[in-house]
Amino acid sequence: MSKLHWRRVPLALVAVVLIALSLAAQAARSGTEVPIGGPLPRGRVASSIRAYDGWLDQVMARNDVAGIATAVIVDDKVRWQRTLGYADAVTGARVTPHTVFRIASLSKAFASALTGLLVQDGTFGWNTRIEQALPFFMLKNAEYARSATIADILSQRLGLPHNAYDNVMEDNGRYPELVRKLDEVEPICPPGDCYSYQNVAFSLIGDVVYAETGDFYYHQVEKRLFLPLGMRTATYGREALEASKSWARPHWLDRGRWVPFQPREAYYRLAPAAGVNASLDDLEKWLIAQMGGDPQVLSPHLLHVLHTPLVETPSERWATPWRRARLRNAQYALAWRVYDYAGHRLIFHAGAVQGYRAMIGFFPDLHVGMVILWNCDDAVPAQLMPMFFDKLLGLPYVDWAGLDRARERAHPVRKRRHPR
């Protein structure tokens, strides 16, 4: 063997040792990985919360958010909660557990839950055709219109192009006019055959509820969900938001200062898709109910129906770095996303609209869930949830939020954002 070859051997060994040390360090930081179907190790929830608490301190130190409210639910109880920052940076009003935020597309799960309760009552069925309840409903393909069902609305399977008419809605479009123009949109597949996310078309479920019960959609949600669950500060609409005792203004960053602005009206016109206002306290109760902790309101059978996947959503697996790394499968149920997160079933949804963002997710088999609300468009808090989940499951540590590296912040303008 030549001298050159002899020199290469130690370098290769060094590389192997460094890789081994790196993997060992990751394992030490993450702990023992939770086996599929297995229990959480003793103390794992507590250590995960401690890590999350520290990450929140970093987020606030970096001025990444105006205000944030978050909680962890374990075994149908609030194990931990924390609020930080400002509901209004100008007045100095702080975020509290009772501060009301817009929750954007987290609103959709209230629509599916109410629909499920009405199905239980026998008011209609999941497979009731939309045109039976709404004679005005039409699609460009008449056969497609005749076959479309209530379940197709709530599972995003109407076969229309992604976010049909959202751009018009944002330019002051009116829901009654837009929903009657769905027959001008070229379908991408027959109803029930493919996933394509909607806000305008999703809100048809509110018309169905009114047609079949004779009561306004939001009245039904208040009566059947908000009140029984004790969601005392949950409401619908901009006027109700601004009438709340404590409410979070949307903010944008101007030369390092958070500046509040007025909430926009557009997506409040789509109450089922994006109309709910709620506090951390409200969403803790909602998450407990979705995890099976309030069976008098949401029965185990109904929860099973709501959380059963109905359509594949492969694009979700590539939407963000953490999804690309962790998701083995992605599907949509009845207004809930269902992920295979490193082998564990995760029920999840996110929402974003004009200065507000929200995320909710839980592992049914582990009885652990989380909710996060914040009042600006910065995406950093959205990466904290998968960091918490990684820690909880004992997966290798990855700094999805970029907290361990210096961050150059631009000064974002107030951009429009579809609820999602």
PDB file of all heavy atoms in Angstrom, residues 102 104-105 108 163 166 170 197-199 267 270 273-274 350-353 417-420:
ATOM      1  N   ARG A 102     -58.354  35.134  16.274  1.00  0.00           N
ATOM      2  CA  ARG A 102     -58.972  34.435  15.139  1.00  0.00           C
ATOM      3  C   ARG A 102     -58.258  33.103  14.978  1.00  0.00           C
ATOM      4  O   ARG A 102     -57.022  33.032  15.070  1.00  0.00           O
ATOM      5  CB  ARG A 102     -58.812  35.240  13.856  1.00  0.00           C
ATOM      6  CG  ARG A 102     -59.593  36.531  13.808  1.00  0.00           C
ATOM      7  CD  ARG A 102     -59.454  37.232  12.466  1.00  0.00           C
ATOM      8  NE  ARG A 102     -60.220  36.556  11.411  1.00  0.00           N
ATOM      9  CZ  ARG A 102     -60.397  37.060  10.188  1.00  0.00           C
ATOM     10  NH1 ARG A 102     -59.844  38.220   9.859  1.00  0.00           N
ATOM     11  NH2 ARG A 102     -61.121  36.418   9.295  1.00  0.00           N
ATOM     12  N   ALA A 104     -58.868  31.058  12.192  1.00  0.00           N
ATOM     13  CA  ALA A 104     -58.796  30.746  10.763  1.00  0.00           C
ATOM     14  C   ALA A 104     -59.372  29.347  10.485  1.00  0.00           C
ATOM     15  O   ALA A 104     -60.481  29.038  10.898  1.00  0.00           O
ATOM     16  CB  ALA A 104     -57.366  30.891  10.268  1.00  0.00           C
ATOM     17  N   SER A 105     -58.601  28.496   9.815  1.00  0.00           N
ATOM     18  CA  SER A 105     -59.145  27.217   9.353  1.00  0.00           C
ATOM     19  C   SER A 105     -59.312  26.160  10.434  1.00  0.00           C
ATOM     20  O   SER A 105     -59.856  25.083  10.160  1.00  0.00           O
ATOM     21  CB  SER A 105     -58.284  26.657   8.219  1.00  0.00           C
ATOM     22  OG  SER A 105     -58.577  27.337   7.024  1.00  0.00           O
ATOM     23  N   LYS A 108     -62.909  24.936  10.729  1.00  0.00           N
ATOM     24  CA  LYS A 108     -63.537  23.888   9.927  1.00  0.00           C
ATOM     25  C   LYS A 108     -63.943  22.676  10.757  1.00  0.00           C
ATOM     26  O   LYS A 108     -64.955  22.021  10.466  1.00  0.00           O
ATOM     27  CB  LYS A 108     -62.603  23.469   8.788  1.00  0.00           C
ATOM     28  CG  LYS A 108     -62.423  24.547   7.715  1.00  0.00           C
ATOM     29  CD  LYS A 108     -61.504  24.088   6.606  1.00  0.00           C
ATOM     30  CE  LYS A 108     -61.496  25.074   5.433  1.00  0.00           C
ATOM     31  NZ  LYS A 108     -60.850  26.347   5.761  1.00  0.00           N
ATOM     32  N   ASN A 163     -58.576  26.149  -3.624  1.00  0.00           N
ATOM     33  CA  ASN A 163     -58.958  27.488  -3.148  1.00  0.00           C
ATOM     34  C   ASN A 163     -59.765  28.283  -4.180  1.00  0.00           C
ATOM     35  O   ASN A 163     -59.533  29.483  -4.388  1.00  0.00           O
ATOM     36  CB  ASN A 163     -57.722  28.279  -2.728  1.00  0.00           C
ATOM     37  CG  ASN A 163     -57.111  27.768  -1.438  1.00  0.00           C
ATOM     38  OD1 ASN A 163     -56.203  26.942  -1.477  1.00  0.00           O
ATOM     39  ND2 ASN A 163     -57.579  28.242  -0.312  1.00  0.00           N
ATOM     40  N   ASP A 166     -61.070  32.085  -3.724  1.00  0.00           N
ATOM     41  CA  ASP A 166     -60.505  32.766  -2.555  1.00  0.00           C
ATOM     42  C   ASP A 166     -59.972  34.144  -2.930  1.00  0.00           C
ATOM     43  O   ASP A 166     -60.106  35.104  -2.166  1.00  0.00           O
ATOM     44  CB  ASP A 166     -59.373  31.930  -1.935  1.00  0.00           C
ATOM     45  CG  ASP A 166     -59.890  30.856  -0.991  1.00  0.00           C
ATOM     46  OD1 ASP A 166     -61.115  30.649  -0.942  1.00  0.00           O
ATOM     47  OD2 ASP A 166     -59.069  30.231  -0.304  1.00  0.00           O
ATOM     48  N   GLU A 170     -61.080  37.715  -1.249  1.00  0.00           N
ATOM     49  CA  GLU A 170     -60.151  38.665  -0.634  1.00  0.00           C
ATOM     50  C   GLU A 170     -60.288  40.061  -1.232  1.00  0.00           C
ATOM     51  O   GLU A 170     -59.919  41.052  -0.586  1.00  0.00           O
ATOM     52  CB  GLU A 170     -58.720  38.160  -0.783  1.00  0.00           C
ATOM     53  CG  GLU A 170     -58.447  36.920   0.055  1.00  0.00           C
ATOM     54  CD  GLU A 170     -57.044  36.408  -0.102  1.00  0.00           C
ATOM     55  OE1 GLU A 170     -56.293  36.938  -0.960  1.00  0.00           O
ATOM     56  OE2 GLU A 170     -56.679  35.478   0.623  1.00  0.00           O
ATOM     57  N   TYR A 197     -58.262  21.656  -1.560  1.00  0.00           N
ATOM     58  CA  TYR A 197     -58.668  22.467  -0.408  1.00  0.00           C
ATOM     59  C   TYR A 197     -59.526  23.654  -0.819  1.00  0.00           C
ATOM     60  O   TYR A 197     -59.209  24.367  -1.769  1.00  0.00           O
ATOM     61  CB  TYR A 197     -57.427  22.955   0.329  1.00  0.00           C
ATOM     62  CG  TYR A 197     -57.677  23.433   1.726  1.00  0.00           C
ATOM     63  CD1 TYR A 197     -57.794  22.526   2.779  1.00  0.00           C
ATOM     64  CD2 TYR A 197     -57.794  24.781   2.011  1.00  0.00           C
ATOM     65  CE1 TYR A 197     -58.012  22.959   4.068  1.00  0.00           C
ATOM     66  CE2 TYR A 197     -58.007  25.229   3.298  1.00  0.00           C
ATOM     67  CZ  TYR A 197     -58.116  24.315   4.327  1.00  0.00           C
ATOM     68  OH  TYR A 197     -58.336  24.750   5.613  1.00  0.00           O
ATOM     69  N   GLN A 198     -60.622  23.884  -0.067  1.00  0.00           N
ATOM     70  CA  GLN A 198     -61.584  24.936  -0.381  1.00  0.00           C
ATOM     71  C   GLN A 198     -61.949  25.742   0.865  1.00  0.00           C
ATOM     72  O   GLN A 198     -61.907  25.223   1.988  1.00  0.00           O
ATOM     73  CB  GLN A 198     -62.874  24.341  -0.957  1.00  0.00           C
ATOM     74  CG  GLN A 198     -62.686  23.454  -2.153  1.00  0.00           C
ATOM     75  CD  GLN A 198     -62.126  24.179  -3.360  1.00  0.00           C
ATOM     76  OE1 GLN A 198     -62.478  25.331  -3.620  1.00  0.00           O
ATOM     77  NE2 GLN A 198     -61.240  23.513  -4.088  1.00  0.00           N
ATOM     78  N   ASN A 199     -62.326  26.984   0.649  1.00  0.00           N
ATOM     79  CA  ASN A 199     -62.924  27.820   1.690  1.00  0.00           C
ATOM     80  C   ASN A 199     -64.334  28.253   1.313  1.00  0.00           C
ATOM     81  O   ASN A 199     -65.274  28.087   2.083  1.00  0.00           O
ATOM     82  CB  ASN A 199     -62.045  29.040   1.959  1.00  0.00           C
ATOM     83  CG  ASN A 199     -60.774  28.678   2.696  1.00  0.00           C
ATOM     84  OD1 ASN A 199     -60.815  28.118   3.789  1.00  0.00           O
ATOM     85  ND2 ASN A 199     -59.633  28.990   2.096  1.00  0.00           N
ATOM     86  N   TYR A 267     -62.625  36.865   5.250  1.00  0.00           N
ATOM     87  CA  TYR A 267     -62.915  35.460   5.538  1.00  0.00           C
ATOM     88  C   TYR A 267     -63.937  35.266   6.654  1.00  0.00           C
ATOM     89  O   TYR A 267     -64.411  34.148   6.858  1.00  0.00           O
ATOM     90  CB  TYR A 267     -61.622  34.708   5.818  1.00  0.00           C
ATOM     91  CG  TYR A 267     -60.856  34.440   4.544  1.00  0.00           C
ATOM     92  CD1 TYR A 267     -59.798  35.244   4.160  1.00  0.00           C
ATOM     93  CD2 TYR A 267     -61.242  33.408   3.691  1.00  0.00           C
ATOM     94  CE1 TYR A 267     -59.127  35.019   2.968  1.00  0.00           C
ATOM     95  CE2 TYR A 267     -60.583  33.173   2.507  1.00  0.00           C
ATOM     96  CZ  TYR A 267     -59.519  33.986   2.149  1.00  0.00           C
ATOM     97  OH  TYR A 267     -58.863  33.760   0.956  1.00  0.00           O
ATOM     98  N   LEU A 270     -67.077  33.717   5.497  1.00  0.00           N
ATOM     99  CA  LEU A 270     -67.101  32.261   5.320  1.00  0.00           C
ATOM    100  C   LEU A 270     -67.058  31.614   6.703  1.00  0.00           C
ATOM    101  O   LEU A 270     -66.064  31.017   7.107  1.00  0.00           O
ATOM    102  CB  LEU A 270     -65.899  31.811   4.482  1.00  0.00           C
ATOM    103  CG  LEU A 270     -65.715  32.519   3.134  1.00  0.00           C
ATOM    104  CD1 LEU A 270     -64.459  31.995   2.432  1.00  0.00           C
ATOM    105  CD2 LEU A 270     -66.939  32.336   2.253  1.00  0.00           C
ATOM    106  N   ALA A 273     -65.793  28.006   7.298  1.00  0.00           N
ATOM    107  CA  ALA A 273     -64.401  27.765   6.901  1.00  0.00           C
ATOM    108  C   ALA A 273     -63.403  28.499   7.764  1.00  0.00           C
ATOM    109  O   ALA A 273     -62.306  27.987   8.021  1.00  0.00           O
ATOM    110  CB  ALA A 273     -64.198  28.177   5.441  1.00  0.00           C
ATOM    111  N   ALA A 274     -63.756  29.716   8.240  1.00  0.00           N
ATOM    112  CA  ALA A 274     -62.729  30.525   8.899  1.00  0.00           C
ATOM    113  C   ALA A 274     -63.297  31.579   9.831  1.00  0.00           C
ATOM    114  O   ALA A 274     -62.653  32.591  10.059  1.00  0.00           O
ATOM    115  CB  ALA A 274     -61.862  31.205   7.836  1.00  0.00           C
ATOM    116  N   ALA A 350     -53.959  23.255  10.778  1.00  0.00           N
ATOM    117  CA  ALA A 350     -53.357  24.574  10.928  1.00  0.00           C
ATOM    118  C   ALA A 350     -54.259  25.606  10.286  1.00  0.00           C
ATOM    119  O   ALA A 350     -55.091  25.276   9.440  1.00  0.00           O
ATOM    120  CB  ALA A 350     -51.968  24.613  10.282  1.00  0.00           C
ATOM    121  N   GLY A 351     -54.086  26.856  10.697  1.00  0.00           N
ATOM    122  CA  GLY A 351     -54.852  27.938  10.111  1.00  0.00           C
ATOM    123  C   GLY A 351     -54.023  29.201  10.031  1.00  0.00           C
ATOM    124  O   GLY A 351     -53.164  29.437  10.889  1.00  0.00           O
ATOM    125  N   ALA A 352     -54.273  30.004   9.022  1.00  0.00           N
ATOM    126  CA  ALA A 352     -53.561  31.271   8.872  1.00  0.00           C
ATOM    127  C   ALA A 352     -54.434  32.241   8.100  1.00  0.00           C
ATOM    128  O   ALA A 352     -54.955  31.891   7.040  1.00  0.00           O
ATOM    129  CB  ALA A 352     -52.240  31.054   8.126  1.00  0.00           C
ATOM    130  N   VAL A 353     -54.606  33.435   8.649  1.00  0.00           N
ATOM    131  CA  VAL A 353     -55.356  34.467   7.940  1.00  0.00           C
ATOM    132  C   VAL A 353     -54.933  35.841   8.443  1.00  0.00           C
ATOM    133  O   VAL A 353     -55.099  36.164   9.614  1.00  0.00           O
ATOM    134  CB  VAL A 353     -56.884  34.268   8.087  1.00  0.00           C
ATOM    135  CG1 VAL A 353     -57.327  34.283   9.535  1.00  0.00           C
ATOM    136  CG2 VAL A 353     -57.646  35.317   7.290  1.00  0.00           C
ATOM    137  N   ARG A 417     -53.280  36.239   3.159  1.00  0.00           N
ATOM    138  CA  ARG A 417     -53.000  34.821   3.327  1.00  0.00           C
ATOM    139  C   ARG A 417     -54.317  34.051   3.363  1.00  0.00           C
ATOM    140  O   ARG A 417     -55.217  34.374   4.105  1.00  0.00           O
ATOM    141  CB  ARG A 417     -52.233  34.584   4.628  1.00  0.00           C
ATOM    142  CG  ARG A 417     -51.871  33.137   4.872  1.00  0.00           C
ATOM    143  CD  ARG A 417     -51.156  32.987   6.196  1.00  0.00           C
ATOM    144  NE  ARG A 417     -49.886  33.692   6.193  1.00  0.00           N
ATOM    145  CZ  ARG A 417     -48.759  33.176   5.722  1.00  0.00           C
ATOM    146  NH1 ARG A 417     -48.752  31.985   5.187  1.00  0.00           N
ATOM    147  NH2 ARG A 417     -47.634  33.871   5.766  1.00  0.00           N
ATOM    148  N   HIS A 418     -54.402  33.027   2.537  1.00  0.00           N
ATOM    149  CA  HIS A 418     -55.604  32.194   2.552  1.00  0.00           C
ATOM    150  C   HIS A 418     -55.662  31.425   3.871  1.00  0.00           C
ATOM    151  O   HIS A 418     -54.658  30.889   4.311  1.00  0.00           O
ATOM    152  CB  HIS A 418     -55.563  31.159   1.410  1.00  0.00           C
ATOM    153  CG  HIS A 418     -55.495  31.763   0.043  1.00  0.00           C
ATOM    154  ND1 HIS A 418     -56.268  32.829  -0.339  1.00  0.00           N
ATOM    155  CD2 HIS A 418     -54.739  31.432  -1.036  1.00  0.00           C
ATOM    156  CE1 HIS A 418     -55.992  33.123  -1.600  1.00  0.00           C
ATOM    157  NE2 HIS A 418     -55.070  32.298  -2.036  1.00  0.00           N
ATOM    158  N   PRO A 419     -56.851  31.292   4.474  1.00  0.00           N
ATOM    159  CA  PRO A 419     -56.993  30.356   5.568  1.00  0.00           C
ATOM    160  C   PRO A 419     -56.653  28.958   5.084  1.00  0.00           C
ATOM    161  O   PRO A 419     -56.979  28.587   3.954  1.00  0.00           O
ATOM    162  CB  PRO A 419     -58.472  30.460   5.938  1.00  0.00           C
ATOM    163  CG  PRO A 419     -58.904  31.784   5.433  1.00  0.00           C
ATOM    164  CD  PRO A 419     -58.101  32.015   4.182  1.00  0.00           C
ATOM    165  N   ARG A 420     -55.980  28.190   5.918  1.00  0.00           N
ATOM    166  CA  ARG A 420     -55.605  26.844   5.489  1.00  0.00           C
ATOM    167  C   ARG A 420     -55.717  25.861   6.649  1.00  0.00           C
ATOM    168  O   ARG A 420     -55.896  26.253   7.764  1.00  0.00           O
ATOM    169  CB  ARG A 420     -54.192  26.814   4.924  1.00  0.00           C
ATOM    170  CG  ARG A 420     -53.107  27.290   5.862  1.00  0.00           C
ATOM    171  CD  ARG A 420     -51.760  27.177   5.213  1.00  0.00           C
ATOM    172  NE  ARG A 420     -51.492  25.802   4.852  1.00  0.00           N
ATOM    173  CZ  ARG A 420     -50.745  24.981   5.568  1.00  0.00           C
ATOM    174  NH1 ARG A 420     -50.183  25.396   6.669  1.00  0.00           N
ATOM    175  NH2 ARG A 420     -50.523  23.743   5.179  1.00  0.00           N
TER     176      ARG A 420
END
